[in-house]
Amino acid sequence: MNPDDMTAEIEALQLFTDAPQFQNFGRMNEIVPSVEMPPSSTPIPWPAGPAVEAPDTYDFDGKQRSFEEFFQFTETTALLMLKEGKVVYERYALGAHPGLRWISMSAGKSFVSAMVGIAISEGHIGGVDDPISDYIRVNPGSAYDGVSIRNVLQMSSGARWTEEYDDPTSDVFQLSAAQTGYGSFEDVVAAMVRERNPGELSRYNSGDTQALGLLIRSATGQSVASYMQTKLCEPLGATSPSYWLSDADGVEATYYGLNMTARDFARLGELYRNDGVFNGRQIVPSEWVRESLTADGPHLQPGKPLVGITYYPLGYGYQWWLPIGDRGEFTAIGVYNQFIYVDPITATVIVKLSANRRTGFIGDEGTPENLEFMRALARQN
């Protein structure tokens, strides 16, 4: 597909408008370039556990809300719950089915974090305090020149960034343009502008995650898709093919472009619920899991990360969101209401995939209500 045709097809989607998207998010590989990852050579299907019924209601903002109405209102396409590693609830809607590979949006960022941790454990990367510019190409004095990998993981790089998806002048739009043949992800990251000192402010920045994707490629000498297939899809027993969207050069769009089934998305949540262990094997170092799920600075505490122009009510770790409270919950979140939610207290992992056009804007994902919706399901017996 040539760049002009690709641009026309993307524009026809009318992303970040009130246009319905449930017929598009399962076929994104037909619209932009992509790199496929095969399933595991030894797939591990989830066992079934005692079935759980969805609650009739959940509490939000001091009121009882209808579970079913919210399911439909948010245009949920898949809702899957594991309890102690067994499927106890699974529902599909709007034409979705267990084999449909859905786009992660920013929920895919948490997979990128896992790969950085694995690469460090294998010696490809010295550690999180190394400057990311030791590994990736950056222009002198630009945003990532001398900035630690830790600050990039915590979206505290200090880079100037606007994450307004419907604004063609925004920074995130420049990343999107790279997928239609206008420049490359590497060029965009190399030229990003420094706005403030690293480690001062956690500003939600998809460019940071794209820089981490370039870090994985440079440090390991493999594509992100190849590294992920070997280090995550294979040992986690992925049962279906998956893929990363990419730019015209085949560089993966690590800031949003992972496409998987709900059952395979759940594998990362279950892996982290078990401190990096899956099927008796340590896949991600336990210390990395703990660090990833810790808001270790004042600017990372709930209510401090800046998303668009809104201070978000959740804390931030290494590309994971951390709800307030003492339950140890954590979640991956993507625009249009994509979630991989984990509640260690109830030993549950919930994947919610959606096409919610009403909250398709940064800072307005309806996260607090989605969390209460998933909490109510997680606490069902």
Side-chain angles (χ1 to χ4, degrees), residues 11 14 83 203 303 327 371:
E11 289 177 350
Q14 300 181 69
K83 188 176 286 285
R203 180 193 299 277
R327 296 183 65 88
L371 284 174

Side-chain angles (χ1 to χ4, degrees), residues 163-186:
E163 187 99 7
E164 301 296 334
Y165 303 123
D166 58 338
D167 180 359
T169 68
S170 70
D171 293 300
V172 74
F173 195 87
Q174 303 311 306
L175 277 181
S176 301
Q179 287 197 275
T180 59
Y182 298 99
S184 68
F185 290 144
E186 189 175 12

Side-chain angles (χ1 to χ4, degrees), residues 258-302:
L258 180 60
N259 298 253
M260 303 186 93
T261 66
R263 292 174 180 176
D264 284 343
F265 275 126
R267 297 179 190 278
L268 187 72
E270 185 67 6
L271 175 68
Y272 271 60
R273 186 182 74 82
N274 288 288
D275 296 320
V277 174
F278 190 88
N279 202 30
R281 177 181 170 187
Q282 192 80 47
I283 308 300
V284 177
S286 58
E287 182 179 1
W288 183 262
V289 173
R290 288 192 294 271
E291 290 178 5
S292 298
L293 305 180
T294 301
D296 67 359
H299 63 297
L300 301 167
Q301 301 305 310

Side-chain angles (χ1 to χ4, degrees), residues 19 23 44-45 48 97 104 106 121 123 135 143 194 200 226 231 233 243 283 285 289 321 330 363 366:
Q23 293 181 326
I44 305 172
H97 52 82
S104 66
S106 290
S121 73
Y135 301 87
R194 179 172 298 173
E200 290 183 348
S226 176
K231 302 301 178 181
C233 298
Y243 55 86
I283 308 300
V289 173
W321 289 102
F330 53 96

